[in-house]
Amino acid sequence: MQFWEDAFLDAVMLEREGMGMDQGPQEMIDRYFSLGEHDRKRLEDDEDRLLGSLLHNMVSYMVMMKVNKTDLRRKVRRILGKCHIGLMHSQQINELLDRVTDMMGRDLSIRPSGSRHIKKQTFVVHAGTDTSGDLFFMEVCDDCIVLRSNIGAVYERWWYEKLINMTYCPKTKVLCLWRRNGQETQLNKFFTKKCRELYYCVKESMERAAARQQSIKPGPELGGEFPVQDMKTGEGGLLQVTLEGINLKFMHSQVFIQLNHIKKCNTVRGVFVLEEFGNYCPCAAGSIENGSKVRMGRPTNHSQSRMGVGG
């Protein structure tokens, strides 16, 4: 009977991988506690449904294989206890076991696996701004973006609630994703021939995910304008995130930074750092968080710009 328990565990592993639920335990726990009550219950129900469906199907296979009904009930109830499935789904399995004595052959139909119902689209992308970057497969799922290597292994998984901003450039076919990574903000750029389709696919998926998160404050909108201040002159200005790049407007000057000129941008201890390829712009960029004033500096090293967040 150990064979059936091993087969069940293997099936759970494959199904979780197919549904994108195969990330590390600590990552799952951290995300679970970061969600609202409504989404926590949804995740719990998804997990219970996965285990309940696989147990149901295992009972069906055991009946077809003419496993002794007493041994069948004992093994399934033991697995059911180990899984800690919720009341609703465990009750369905118990009711099934009560009727299994009168079943034989193909009397019990199998349930379709949840991974078959997942709607996700896959795009071929290259890391960076052209085809010279590493090749990845980007999967747009219901609540995250999964980046897989060319052999199918999961390389990165970015939850929508961690994404800060997203833009794309039709001319260069580059998609830019800004995301939170701990206390820092990271920029990831991807080149793809279907840049526009990928952008709107992610945007629509994020909007559907946001509609489900009724108990969570909505995140920042994609794109937008942010007030900034020159730390050297005290001159106020406006930072605009557009499809083509980042535009810095002041009363007496204006600087535009193209997306393909941006090497990296992140935050380090409250300072926003924007690194560029070459000497394209002597200014920094940033946003307002929690009502704080953003100050912007003009460093002497034009290939790197820094900005502090003041009180």
Side-chain angles (χ1 to χ4, degrees):
M1 296 300 291
Q2 184 62 35
F3 163 80
W4 293 104
E5 185 170 344
D6 294 341
F8 173 77
L9 295 177
D10 290 342
V12 170
M13 179 189 67
L14 293 174
E15 181 67 5
R16 288 175 62 84
E17 182 178 358
M19 295 186 66
M21 302 166 63
D22 56 332
Q23 65 271 17
Q26 190 58 48
E27 182 182 355
M28 290 179 59
I29 294 173
D30 293 342
R31 181 170 186 261
Y32 176 83
F33 285 113
S34 69
L35 297 176
E37 187 65 25
H38 174 77
D39 284 294
R40 290 186 187 184
K41 291 185 179 296
R42 179 176 60 85
L43 290 181
E44 293 169 1
D45 187 67
D46 289 344
E47 185 78 22
D48 290 344
R49 185 182 298 108
L50 183 151
L51 297 172
S53 296
L54 292 178
L55 266 180
H56 175 99
N57 292 343
M58 190 180 77
V59 172
S60 176
Y61 294 137
M62 295 175 80
V63 170
M64 292 174 60
M65 298 299 294
K66 299 180 181 180
V67 176
N68 181 275
K69 301 299 175 58
T70 302
D71 294 337
L72 185 155
R73 283 192 292 266
R74 183 184 300 115
K75 173 56 68 175
V76 173
R77 286 198 171 109
R78 181 182 178 185
I79 296 176
L80 187 63
K82 289 182 177 180
C83 291
H84 300 285
I85 300 178
L87 178 61
M88 182 180 71
H89 294 278
S90 63
Q91 185 176 357
Q92 293 176 357
I93 299 298
N94 283 319
E95 291 175 354
L96 176 62
L97 294 178
D98 292 339
R99 297 183 286 109
V100 77
T101 304
D102 302 325
M103 294 181 180
M104 58 184 300
R106 302 178 63 181
D107 289 346
L108 182 60
S109 300
I110 63 173
R111 294 178 179 176
S113 59
S115 58
R116 300 291 182 91
H117 298 288
I118 289 183
K119 295 181 180 179
K120 62 181 179 182
Q121 292 182 264
T122 304
F123 297 84
V124 178
V125 300
H126 292 268
T129 58
D130 52 41
T131 56
S132 63
D134 294 336
L135 177 69
F136 292 99
F137 296 100
M138 183 176 288
E139 297 179 353
V140 182
C141 304
D142 290 338
D143 52 3
C144 67
I145 295 174
V146 177
L147 203 63
R148 295 184 182 271
S149 66
N150 55 2
I151 60 174
V154 176
Y155 181 77
E156 289 275 7
R157 180 181 284 103
W158 300 326
W159 305 107
Y160 291 145
E161 58 264 24
K162 297 294 184 180
L163 292 182
I164 297 176
N165 196 14
M166 177 177 66
T167 60
Y168 81 102
C169 180
K171 184 177 180 180
T172 60
K173 299 186 183 300
V174 174
L175 177 78
C176 294
L177 294 172
W178 283 267
R179 65 186 181 93
R180 287 193 302 271
N181 185 12
Q183 298 298 321
E184 299 184 356
T185 301
Q186 292 186 348
L187 169 63
N188 298 90
K189 295 191 289 186
F190 298 97
F191 173 86
T192 174
K193 294 181 179 179
K194 296 184 177 180
C195 184
R196 180 184 178 88
E197 291 85 345
L198 175 57
Y199 172 84
Y200 282 103
C201 181
V202 174
K203 184 174 183 292
E204 291 171 2
S205 185
M206 290 179 66
E207 290 173 349
R208 289 193 298 268
R212 294 194 304 265
Q213 297 177 357
Q214 300 177 1
S215 59
I216 301 179
K217 292 174 61 178
E221 296 182 356
L222 301 179
E225 299 181 348
F226 307 93
V228 293
Q229 183 179 11
D230 191 317
M231 296 177 64
K232 184 177 180 180
T233 65
E235 182 183 6
L238 194 65
L239 182 148
Q240 298 173 321
V241 180
T242 68
L243 298 180
E244 301 290 339
I246 296 176
N247 190 31
L248 291 166
K249 297 176 63 176
F250 293 91
M251 183 175 296
H252 303 293
S253 63
Q254 179 172 334
V255 177
F256 181 77
I257 311 173
Q258 296 183 17
L259 289 180
N260 58 352
H261 291 171
I262 300 175
K263 180 180 180 181
K264 183 177 67 173
C265 68
N266 59 343
T267 55
V268 181
R269 294 186 295 275
V271 177
F272 187 91
V273 181
L274 175 64
E275 297 185 20
E276 307 167 57
F277 292 105
N279 301 326
Y280 292 103
C281 174
C283 299
S287 63
I288 285 186
E289 297 180 1
N290 301 325
S292 300
K293 180 184 294 185
V294 173
R295 300 183 181 276
M296 184 179 66
R298 297 175 181 267
T300 55
N301 180 6
H302 296 336
S303 64
Q304 185 181 83
S305 301
R306 294 177 179 268
M307 177 190 61
V309 180

